[in-house]
Amino acid sequence: MLNRTADSVARATPEPLARKVRGISDKGLAWLFISPTILLLLAINIFPLFWAIYLSFTNYRANRSNEVVKNLGFANYQRILGDQDVWIAMQTTAHFVFWTILLQTVIGFTLAWLIDRKFRGHAFWTTIILVPMMLSPAVVGNFWRFLYQPQTGLFNYIVAFFTGVPPSSFEMLGSVQLAPWAIVIVDTWMWTPYVMLICLAGLRSIPEYIYEAAEVDRASNWRQFWSITLPMALPFIMLAVLFRGIENFKMFDMVNLLTGGGPGSTTEVASITLKRQAFESWRTGYSSAFAIILFVAVFGLANIYVKALNKVKQR
């Protein structure tokens, strides 16, 4: 059936086109197949980037598209770098990035190490642990918003059970001190399984004969962990930190769903500030400059980190 279909297509192909196709090399044919995807990526990713760079040097406002667009040079960048609110938002972002990465790495690696022991039912518990990662951020945000309710939420009652504090005496999302930690808890709960998977892949890649040689040398379990397990899994741990660091630097949906940047501006991360400037104040040129600064910061830090990761892998 397939042969007949191929023959019919070949007969239906005009002779000039058939000669051109036969004359194309394998490399040219490969480029012919991937060119639509490349064009699509250019349209979706590259063009908006260059358009944002252009807008960052102007006074353009999306809600006043009929106004004359003026070239401001680096004025938008100077205003952003001198804006105290922007630096506060960057500090808030750094706080979230640091604590979420620290907790996710420690808990994720610990879970990966336990699951790698291959105890009875480890496959079942692996599936259960992965459930939060499979959920939509919108579902997770609304689910935890309900859990954090001071009157009906389960979280306050659990804390009250272990500490003796009345459940209605504190509000996770409404407190200036507790709101940042509320978001850290949710993000850690959702994305620790992702870190666990990467760390588990690293642990499973360590050859068994290395541990057997260590046992012959009478190395203790603690010594095997510090001399074999941790050094050989370190590139995978650093890779997980890289992925989560980039994602958490762009954290928006969870903060927007849980607190919206409040109370006040306590949880206003850089992406929330960017959204407010772009779609509430309609300072499109200013917000484009802010977006470019964030892009350069993430790209630069990621490049430095990747170089450090490559050095660790080459040891």
Side-chain angles (χ1 to χ4, degrees):
M1 182 66 180
L2 291 175
N3 290 335
R4 286 200 299 271
T5 303
D7 291 340
S8 61
V9 170
R11 284 194 297 269
T13 304
E15 185 60 28
L17 179 61
R19 283 197 299 268
K20 289 181 180 179
V21 171
R22 283 196 296 268
I24 296 176
S25 63
D26 291 341
K27 188 176 181 179
L29 193 61
W31 276 105
L32 183 64
F33 279 117
I34 66 173
S35 56
T37 304
I38 293 175
L39 292 174
L40 184 63
L41 289 174
L42 289 173
I44 295 176
N45 294 329
I46 306 301
F47 172 74
L49 175 62
F50 283 104
W51 182 245
I53 293 173
Y54 163 72
L55 292 179
S56 68
F57 295 102
T58 68
N59 66 337
Y60 178 75
R61 289 176 177 263
N63 64 333
R64 300 176 185 175
S65 56
N66 294 327
E67 286 189 359
V68 177
V69 178
K70 297 179 181 178
N71 189 352
L72 302 179
F74 290 94
N76 285 328
Y77 292 92
Q78 291 173 350
R79 291 194 192 102
I80 291 168
L81 296 177
D83 192 339
Q84 188 66 25
D85 292 336
V86 170
W87 286 108
I88 292 173
M90 295 297 284
Q91 290 175 3
T92 305
T93 305
H95 173 270
F96 283 128
V97 171
F98 175 78
W99 285 109
T100 52
I101 288 179
L102 178 64
L103 292 174
Q104 289 171 25
T105 303
V106 172
I107 300 173
F109 182 78
T110 302
L111 290 173
W113 184 80
L114 291 173
I115 290 174
D116 192 48
R117 303 300 95 188
K118 296 181 180 178
F119 54 88
R120 179 178 295 181
H122 74 278
F124 169 77
W125 288 110
T126 302
T127 305
I128 295 298
I129 293 171
L130 292 178
V131 168
M133 188 183 71
M134 303 175 187
L135 300 175
S136 165
V139 173
V140 173
N142 287 305
F143 171 71
W144 276 91
R145 191 175 180 85
F146 173 75
L147 288 182
Y148 281 143
Q149 291 298 321
Q151 302 296 333
T152 59
L154 186 61
F155 184 86
N156 285 35
Y157 285 94
I158 293 174
V159 174
F161 177 79
F162 287 103
T163 63
V165 178
S168 59
S169 64
F170 65 97
E171 187 175 352
M172 291 295 293
L173 299 179
S175 170
V176 173
Q177 289 78 23
L178 298 177
W181 294 105
I183 299 173
V184 169
I185 291 171
V186 176
D187 193 77
T188 301
W189 177 82
M190 183 176 183
W191 292 110
T192 294
Y194 179 78
V195 177
M196 183 201 74
L197 278 181
I198 297 177
C199 293
L200 185 60
L203 293 174
R204 295 278 171 87
S205 68
I206 302 175
E208 286 294 331
Y209 69 83
I210 299 179
Y211 290 108
E212 293 171 359
E215 289 176 0
V216 170
D217 293 337
R218 297 183 180 180
S220 64
N221 291 334
W222 187 251
R223 182 66 178 174
Q224 290 181 33
F225 175 81
W226 284 106
S227 300
I228 300 174
T229 305
L230 191 59
M232 298 193 73
L234 186 58
F236 292 86
I237 298 173
M238 292 182 67
L239 191 65
V241 169
L242 175 65
F243 290 156
R244 291 309 307 148
I246 293 174
E247 287 300 316
N248 284 359
F249 198 90
K250 302 183 296 181
M251 184 188 296
F252 173 78
D253 44 11
M254 202 63 66
V255 178
N256 193 50
L257 285 166
L258 291 172
T259 64
S265 59
T266 307
T267 60
E268 186 173 322
V269 293
S271 56
I272 296 293
T273 303
L274 178 61
K275 186 264 291 186
R276 288 179 175 173
Q277 293 295 332
F279 301 110
E280 293 178 15
S281 300
W282 295 103
R283 301 172 69 186
T284 310
Y286 181 91
S287 59
S288 297
F290 190 20
I292 297 303
I293 289 174
L294 292 177
F295 171 76
V296 171
V298 173
F299 187 78
L301 291 173
N303 265 334
I304 295 171
Y305 189 87
V306 168
K307 289 180 181 178
L309 175 60
N310 289 332
K311 289 182 179 179
V312 172
K313 290 170 67 177
Q314 291 171 2
R315 286 192 310 180

